Amino acid sequence: MNIMYKWNSSEFIALNKLWTAESNWRSEAFNKSADRHTGKHAGGIPQILGLNPKVPAPLQIERGLEYIQHRYEKPSIAWAHWRANGWY
């Protein structure tokens, strides 16, 4: 799915901060801490639950952007949630 994101440059700055904090933009990053409710682990650049770090980086990024759009609308809101809770 290719979504055109109508985010300004400050949103991409927030996205960079978020994913730097989560994975340092490493596609092979894997968080062994499981979600208490689902038992799933987080992986990849966006550190999404259930995302296999073996998925190619461009697809990880696409999935991460879709997740942010769906759940938070834009990266600045996801980043604010991360700062308050340590996860997004």
Side-chain angles (χ1 to χ4, degrees), residues 45-86:
I45 295 167
Q47 290 292 288
I48 295 175
L49 288 175
L51 180 62
N52 185 335
K54 293 181 181 178
V55 168
L59 294 177
Q60 291 182 20
I61 291 169
E62 184 175 334
R63 182 150 175 225
L65 295 174
E66 290 170 358
Y67 172 78
I68 289 170
Q69 177 73 35
H70 174 76
R71 181 153 182 176
Y72 297 99
E73 185 182 331
K74 55 189 180 178
S76 59
I77 296 172
W79 175 232
H81 186 275
W82 190 96
R83 288 192 330 264
N85 300 286

Side-chain angles (χ1 to χ4, degrees), residues 7-74:
W7 299 334
N8 62 31
S9 60
S10 66
E11 294 302 327
F12 290 100
I13 291 169
L15 178 69
N16 184 49
K17 289 177 182 179
L18 177 64
W19 287 354
T20 297
E22 281 289 315
S23 68
N24 204 27
W25 287 85
R26 292 178 307 115
S27 62
E28 73 282 359
F30 185 75
N31 183 342
K32 294 179 184 172
S33 299
D35 177 275
R36 285 183 272 155
H37 305 291
T38 65
K40 292 183 178 179
H41 303 286
I45 295 167
Q47 290 292 288
I48 295 175
L49 288 175
L51 180 62
N52 185 335
K54 293 181 181 178
V55 168
L59 294 177
Q60 291 182 20
I61 291 169
E62 184 175 334
R63 182 150 175 225
L65 295 174
E66 290 170 358
Y67 172 78
I68 289 170
Q69 177 73 35
H70 174 76
R71 181 153 182 176
Y72 297 99
E73 185 182 331
K74 55 189 180 178

